[in-house]
Amino acid sequence: MGSRGPPKHQNTYAWNPNGGRKINETEVGGKFRPFSEVTGVCPRCKEKIEWKRKYGKYKPLTEPAKCQRCSKRAVRQAYHNLCAACAKEQNVCAKCSCRVNQIIGRDRSEVEAEQKMLEAIKNARERDRRSLLRAMNKGKSHSSTSAKCPTNSASKAGELFTAESLEKYAEFSRDDEDDDDDDTGDRV
């Protein structure tokens, strides 16, 4: 049948899919337009997609594909069978549709929420920015101790920031900056 066992000659260097070809850096997958992050899949499927990217077998989507559950054209990543909403609702991998405990990556809503929070922090005054960062860090690191200690209550953050949400606080701080600019123009 054939010899079994390890290969007779081991490769000295890894195979390069684009060896001998000039790569256009403006195309998808190039230096200026890298592939998007793989999200919504199990670790095994992420490894499969990463292998395709590494060895030149990955083919990105040119237009959104149909979700196999809801039949909407909402699948935006290559090799995914379910849209992000269906996968999150069913708690399954978007590629292999199997139930998993750990899903790789974050969805778009989480990323947008984090960007809004960072924008609010960026637009705040230095004093408010440091207070907000301290309150956020205390909430993350001492969540178990906050129940025991009365001084670490969540109402303290409410005293510092009277706005109900970070978006309102960001708009409020922008309005204050505009008012300050108008005042300095009158003093000339």
Side-chain angles (χ1 to χ4, degrees):
M1 283 213 213
S3 62
R4 297 188 189 272
K8 195 167 193 176
H9 302 288
Q10 181 66 37
N11 292 341
T12 55
Y13 60 91
W15 181 72
N16 184 7
N18 297 319
R21 282 192 309 170
K22 187 173 180 183
I23 302 168
N24 185 358
E25 281 131 6
T26 59
E27 289 181 0
V28 177
K31 188 184 285 185
F32 298 120
R33 290 178 61 197
F35 291 125
S36 62
E37 186 181 348
V38 179
T39 59
V41 294
C42 61
R44 183 166 184 257
C45 292
K46 181 178 171 43
E47 288 176 10
K48 288 180 183 179
I49 294 172
E50 291 296 331
W51 183 91
K52 286 178 185 276
R53 287 181 176 180
K54 184 177 178 182
Y55 291 108
K57 304 291 183 184
Y58 184 81
K59 187 178 176 193
L61 286 177
T62 55
E63 62 182 33
K66 271 191 177 180
C67 174
Q68 292 183 355
R69 285 240 167 90
C70 65
S71 299
K72 294 180 184 172
R73 287 207 171 268
V75 179
R76 307 226 179 256
Q77 291 190 351
Y79 304 103
H80 284 47
N81 297 322
L82 303 175
C83 63
C86 290
K88 190 172 183 180
E89 177 186 316
Q90 301 290 328
N91 196 23
V92 294
C93 171
K95 182 179 186 299
C96 64
S97 300
C98 63
R99 289 203 178 276
V100 288
N101 296 337
Q102 179 187 8
I103 297 289
I104 302 280
R106 302 181 302 173
D107 62 342
R108 186 175 288 162
S109 61
E110 291 176 5
V111 173
E112 288 176 357
E114 184 178 334
Q115 286 177 347
K116 283 182 182 179
M117 187 183 314
L118 290 175
E119 182 182 336
I121 291 172
K122 185 179 82 174
N123 292 334
R125 297 181 311 179
E126 183 67 24
R127 179 179 178 181
D128 295 339
R129 181 183 310 135
R130 289 176 185 246
S131 300
L132 184 58
L133 289 172
R134 271 196 308 274
M136 287 171 34
N137 289 338
K138 270 188 180 176
K140 288 180 184 175
S141 63
H142 300 294
S143 59
S144 60
T145 59
S146 64
K148 296 175 187 175
C149 183
T151 58
N152 292 341
S153 64
S155 63
K156 192 169 188 177
E159 292 172 9
L160 291 173
F161 303 102
T162 56
E164 297 160 3
S165 68
L166 287 175
E167 293 91 17
K168 290 182 182 178
Y169 181 74
E171 292 172 10
F172 180 72
S173 64
R174 278 190 220 115
D175 292 341
D176 286 347
E177 290 172 4
D178 294 341
D179 293 342
D180 293 341
D181 294 340
D182 295 339
D183 294 342
T184 56
D186 296 337
R187 294 181 186 167
V188 175

